Every structure is written in structure tokens, then in C-alpha cells.
Amino acid sequence: MGLIVKTTARVTIPLIGIFGSYIVMHGHLTPGGGFQGGATIAGAGILFLIAFGLGEMKKRYNKNLYSALEGLGGLAFLGVAMLGMSVAFFYNTLWHNGPVLNGKPGTLLSAGFLPIMNLAVGLKVFTGLVSALTAIALWRRWKG
Amino acid sequence: MKRTIAYLSLLFILGALLYIANPNYGLKFGLGGNNWLKYRYTDNYYIEHGVEEVGGMNIVTDIVFDYRGYDTIGEATVLFTAIAGAVALLRPWRGDGE
């Protein structure tokens, strides 16, 4: 892409990333959450891919790291869900009698495992969409 | 011939769905008043007890991650499988150069 597009992307990619992180972090207070915020951050990654091209993306993108992070997001989700296993699966033990994340409803550190789950799902969606789009961009055979 | 039957059955299904969606016989839209507690008592429960039981101000997140967390696990699994399938199918073929 041209110089204007590259400069604009340089400015907007951090803003999109910050906004997506805001959506993920405030998933239990405002509309949005892990899936929506993760897709927003993945939009920043795709903007990077389109504005700077596949060559630049190949240097920055590490397939193994992104696959590992996607698996890690899913595992964090499951692990947090199992925290209250002594009562039931998905028992919100952090909210009912946990040491952290049990503040007043409406504050950032409230709602038990919901913020952790939002972070895990956001990480999973972001890395998954970026690796899928990079795999599609790397596929370059138009004729069989 | 087969295609005609297919289109006719599509037309029949559409008519049946339109019949069901008629407020005089089936589904009702814009529920309010007594109908709200009669048909949407589950939603009412979530709205009334969500904040104290789960702690999040966002009722949708409360439902999706706490009350119905299994659903979200399934959704995450679907996403994981879709990404894994796409990446696996889009790998370069053996002996493709590179």
C-alpha cells in the first residue's frame, strides 16, 4: 500500500488495539466482551497485514507462538471454570468467597471469573483470527 | 422434476412458518405486561438476580459466561476447530515449491 495508507495504519493500529483491549477488559460492565473485543483486535492485525503487506507480516508473525496462545486461551477458560469444582463446574467461587475480583458490582475488579474468561476468550479469538487470515494470505495459487 | 418438488416443498415450509409467525395463531411479538411474566419468566429471572448472583453489570455476559458457560465452551471449541481446519487445509501442498 501507499505511504498515506501506511502512515494512517501506523496511527490507527494502536488505537484499534487499545479500544479492543478496553472492550475485552470491561466485558462485565459494558456491552461487548471477549468475542467482540478479540475480533476488534484481530481487525488491527488484519489492518497491519493489508497495509504493510505479507512480507512484513511474515517477519512479525510466529505461527507456533500464535497457535500456542490460542490453546492457552482455551485452557485458561477451562481452568477458571474449574476453580469452583468443589461445588460445581462453572461455579463462580471467586465472586461468592474468593480473595480477588469480588468488589462491588460495577467496579472493574468485580464479577468473579468473568474478567478472566473475557481475557482468555479475547486472546483466543484474536490469535485464531490472525492466524486464519495469515494462512489465507499465504495461500497464493490461483490456478490448480 | 426433482427440482420442482424441491421448490414446492420450500414453498410449503415457508407457508407453514408464516402461519406459525402469525400473532393470532402462534408466536407473539413485542411481549409486554402480563405476557412478559408468562412467556419470558426466564429472562425476568436473569434481569432480577443476575447482578447479585454473578456480579457483572452486563447481563448478557453474566448469562453467556456463568449461567450458560457450557454454551460458551462449545462456541470456543467451534472457533478453535474452524481455525484449525482452515489453517490445516491452507497449508502448502507437498512439493509445491517454496
Side-chain angles (χ1 to χ4, degrees), chain A residues 17-86:
Chain A
I18 289 168
F19 182 60
S21 324
Y22 161 77
I23 295 178
V24 172
M25 272 181 2
H26 291 244
H28 54 297
L29 305 175
T30 55
F35 287 96
Q36 294 87 347
T40 309
I41 307 174
I46 291 157
L47 178 61
F48 180 88
L49 170 64
I50 290 174
F52 293 96
L54 191 56
E56 197 71 20
M57 189 71 176
K58 266 188 194 163
K59 281 185 228 155
R60 302 279 200 282
Y61 169 79
N62 183 350
K63 189 176 67 178
N64 295 329
L65 173 69
Y66 273 64
S67 309
L69 279 181
E70 191 181 2
L72 187 73
L75 283 181
F77 186 95
L78 273 176
V80 168
M82 282 189 208
L83 274 181
M85 204 61 177
S86 55

Side-chain angles (χ1 to χ4, degrees), chain B residues 11-23:
Chain B
L11 203 64
F12 173 75
I13 292 170
L14 180 70
L17 286 178
L18 280 177
Y19 181 82
I20 291 170
N22 190 330

